Amino acid sequence: MPVVPGFTVAYGCVLVAALLPIVCAALAKVGGRGFDNRRPRDWMARLTGWRARANAAQSNGFEVLPFFIGAVLIAHQLGAPQGRVDALAVAFVAARIVYIVCYLADRATLRSLAFAAGLLVNIALLFAGVR
């Protein structure tokens, strides 16, 4: 039962998915030398190593977010079983977390597999309510 009536686990996952890119940006910036808040994009463009990968994970997180939000909304609108929608939404967030960890660790193949898993989960979510 939702803590807030009508606010499903899947909607909570949308919130988490929206915050993950911000976490990646914070990872890229925190402790970095010479950060210039007046020109953050110029500073971020000069990053290397894991900080640059955190910034790239941020960008990718924002890129995949609209599809996830749309898939959750469409699944709800089509009356998909709530348990299925919630499970798929949690699986998407889990895939994104694995993706971020793999990106930071420079594990390109695993990162690509995590991305593909998230994409497949999103497609399943999109069609979860089709009868």
Side-chain angles (χ1 to χ4, degrees):
M1 178 160 195
V3 175
V4 177
F7 196 81
T8 66
V9 168
Y11 289 150
C13 288
V14 167
L15 175 60
V16 172
L19 294 176
L20 285 175
I22 297 165
V23 169
C24 292
L27 289 171
K29 293 176 185 176
V30 171
R33 300 192 188 281
F35 177 70
D36 181 0
N37 200 38
R38 292 183 186 185
R39 297 188 136 150
R41 291 175 193 252
D42 293 341
W43 183 83
M44 296 281 264
R46 293 189 303 273
L47 292 175
T48 60
W50 71 268
R51 290 183 190 282
R53 293 190 300 274
N55 186 42
Q58 171 199 200
S59 296
N60 183 263
F62 283 126
E63 291 163 3
V64 300
L65 190 58
F67 184 20
F68 177 59
I69 293 169
V72 168
L73 292 176
I74 290 168
H76 278 104
Q77 182 184 19
L78 293 177
Q82 193 60 54
R84 182 182 309 156
V85 175
D86 290 343
L88 289 168
V90 168
F92 176 80
V93 169
R96 292 305 302 169
I97 291 169
V98 170
Y99 175 89
I100 292 165
V101 169
C102 289
Y103 219 147
L104 293 176
D106 201 16
R107 303 295 302 263
T109 302
L110 291 176
R111 181 191 82 223
S112 294
L113 290 172
F115 178 87
L119 178 63
L120 292 173
V121 167
N122 250 353
I123 292 168
L125 185 56
L126 182 70
F127 289 102
V130 175
R131 297 171 195 188

